[in-house]
């Protein structure tokens, strides 16, 4: 039985799904408004780290063009406070970050070389009747615009209706890398968080920074002050704020060489509202449209989970498409049962971390104290970035957090 799958969106979710389907001989068409060349010349799309479990899927899809032995990092380092506590945790296998203006075009070319079809241009909901006539299943992978609005917000799983952080992200040079290549999490209590990610760009290794600013704190200026108005003043503002709030990064900055790696397109400012949407809708002729990636669950970037969840869910959906012949509500039940725990746990864990880094509960303060002592607990917490369902098992209730801390302290059974 021939299968025809239409995929709206050419981010991680759409490309990983398309590549999986082509690997198994399934016809797939991806709709996107940007060609590979337009992607290469675009403004910074995001700052993404692919965890080891995602790298494994890339190997299986034969798109691991940036082997972690050369491009990866092996550790998370943590810096908490203005006179920072310093500790680190090891990953079971390396993770990796590549500028998506390199990554996505290369995977688009892979998809086309393997027989996948692209249709370039903007779609609107008015195009849906024509699309449903062409495809057995529609997969929507974009979390913005009218196509995301096809899927209702799930209020039970979406506690927020506005961003929880004022965000800024960019790729910078002039920052010395750590002796051990690592992602570094900086926490300025009550003010913000900043994540440094060693990232490969067209110009070589640089530093991506995800800057999570609490509303009302001095750090909010990094999101509220337009970089383009006065780039030199913006860099001075950043240096002044880093000197006070992120000294563990500031001490490695060469002020004379610090700046955006490739010019003004290397910075984005704004905010993200975490939201979970209904997983599918049935269109007028009975064709199912299923939400994938950001269209299903949009997360704040504080834990670097978005692209990794998109890849995981794309793999699950690909397996179900290959294995089954009818794409109806029962098909969606199979998909949701398999992808739900990891995808939803990633959002819950991210929301929990943002709330507790803003106003920490007593058990979270106890957790930070235990984390700062390093050892097996810090390694496990760090490696759980690969497995957010395991992290949420730890943080879902105070009792679970207490049992986890006791297990690692030797004071009781986990």
């Amino acid at each position: 039985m021939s299968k025809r799958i239409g995929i709206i969106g050419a981010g991680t979710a759409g490309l990983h799904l398309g590549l999986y389907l082509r690997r198994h001989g399934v016809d797939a068409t991806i709709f996107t408004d940007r060609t590979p060349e337009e992607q290469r010349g675009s403004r910074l799309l995001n700052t993404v780290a692919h965890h080891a479990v995602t790298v494994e899927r890339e190997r299986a899809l034969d798109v691991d063009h940036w082997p972690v032995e050369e491009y990866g990092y092996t550790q998370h380092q943590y810096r908490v406070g203005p006179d920072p506590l310093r500790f680190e945790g090891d990953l079971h296998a390396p993770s990796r970050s590549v500028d998506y203006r390199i990554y996505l075009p290369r995977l688009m070319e892979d998809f086309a070389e393997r027989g996948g079809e692209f249709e370039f241009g903007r779609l609107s909901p008015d195009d849906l009747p024509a699309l449903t006539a062409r495809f057995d299943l529609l997969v929507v992978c974009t979390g913005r615009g009218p196509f995301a609005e096809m899927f209702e917000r799930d209020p039970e799983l979406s506690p927020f209706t506005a961003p929880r952080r004022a965000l800024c992200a960019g790729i910078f040079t002039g920052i010395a890398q750590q002796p051990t290549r690592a992602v570094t999490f900086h926490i300025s209590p009550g003010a913000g968080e900043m994540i440094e990610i060693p990232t490969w760009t067209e110009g070589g290794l640089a530093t991506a920074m995800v800057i999570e600013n609490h509303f009302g704190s001095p750090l909010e200026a990094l999101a509220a002050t337009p970089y383009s108005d006065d780039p030199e003043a913006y860099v001075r503002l950043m240096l002044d704020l880093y000197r006070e709030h992120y000294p563990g990064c500031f001490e490695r900055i060469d002020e004379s060489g610090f700046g955006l790696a490739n010019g003004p397109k290397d910075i984005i400012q704004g905010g993200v509202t975490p939201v979970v949407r209904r997983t599918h809708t049935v269109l007028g002729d009975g064709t199912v449209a299923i939400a994938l990636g950001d269209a299903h669950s949009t997360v704040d970037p504080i834990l670097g989970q978005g692209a990794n969840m998109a890849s995981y869910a794309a793999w699950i959906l690909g397996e179900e498409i290959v294995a089954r012949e009818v794409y109806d509500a029962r098909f969606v039940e199979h998909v949701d049962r398999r992808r739900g725990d990891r995808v939803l746990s990633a959002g819950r864990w991210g929301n929990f971390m943002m709330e507790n880094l803003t106003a920490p509960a007593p058990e979270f303060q106890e957790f930070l104290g235990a984390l700062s002592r390093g050892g097996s607990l810090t390694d496990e917490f760090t490696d759980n970035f690969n497995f957010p369902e395991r992290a949420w098992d730890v943080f879902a209730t105070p009792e679970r957090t207490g049992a986890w801390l006791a297990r690692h302290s030797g004071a009781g059974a986990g």
Side-chain angles (χ1 to χ4, degrees), residues 78-155:
Y78 305 91
R79 307 287 183 262
V80 182
D83 184 15
L85 290 168
R86 298 168 182 255
F87 48 96
E88 57 276 328
D90 291 331
L91 297 159
H92 81 274
S95 300
R96 180 243 296 131
S97 177
V98 175
D99 187 335
Y100 260 33
R101 292 167 294 185
I102 300 172
Y103 181 86
L104 294 180
R106 181 62 188 273
L107 266 63
M108 291 173 76
E109 291 163 355
D110 291 331
F111 177 71
E113 288 168 3
R114 297 170 193 182
E117 298 290 334
F118 279 107
E119 294 191 18
F120 297 106
R122 290 190 178 275
L123 291 176
S124 79
D126 293 339
D127 297 308
L128 283 173
L131 294 178
T132 58
R134 293 174 55 189
F135 298 106
D136 304 305
L137 177 70
L138 282 180
V139 183
V140 178
C141 307
T142 177
R144 297 180 180 178
F147 284 98
E149 294 168 5
M150 293 167 52
F151 308 98
E152 294 181 1
R153 174 178 173 269
D154 187 332

Side-chain angles (χ1 to χ4, degrees), residues 13 140-143 277 291-298 306 309-310 313-314 339 343:
V140 178
C141 307
T142 177
R277 300 180 181 89
L292 184 69
D294 283 349
H296 176 210
S297 177
T298 301
M309 292 307 96
R339 68 175 170 173
V343 171

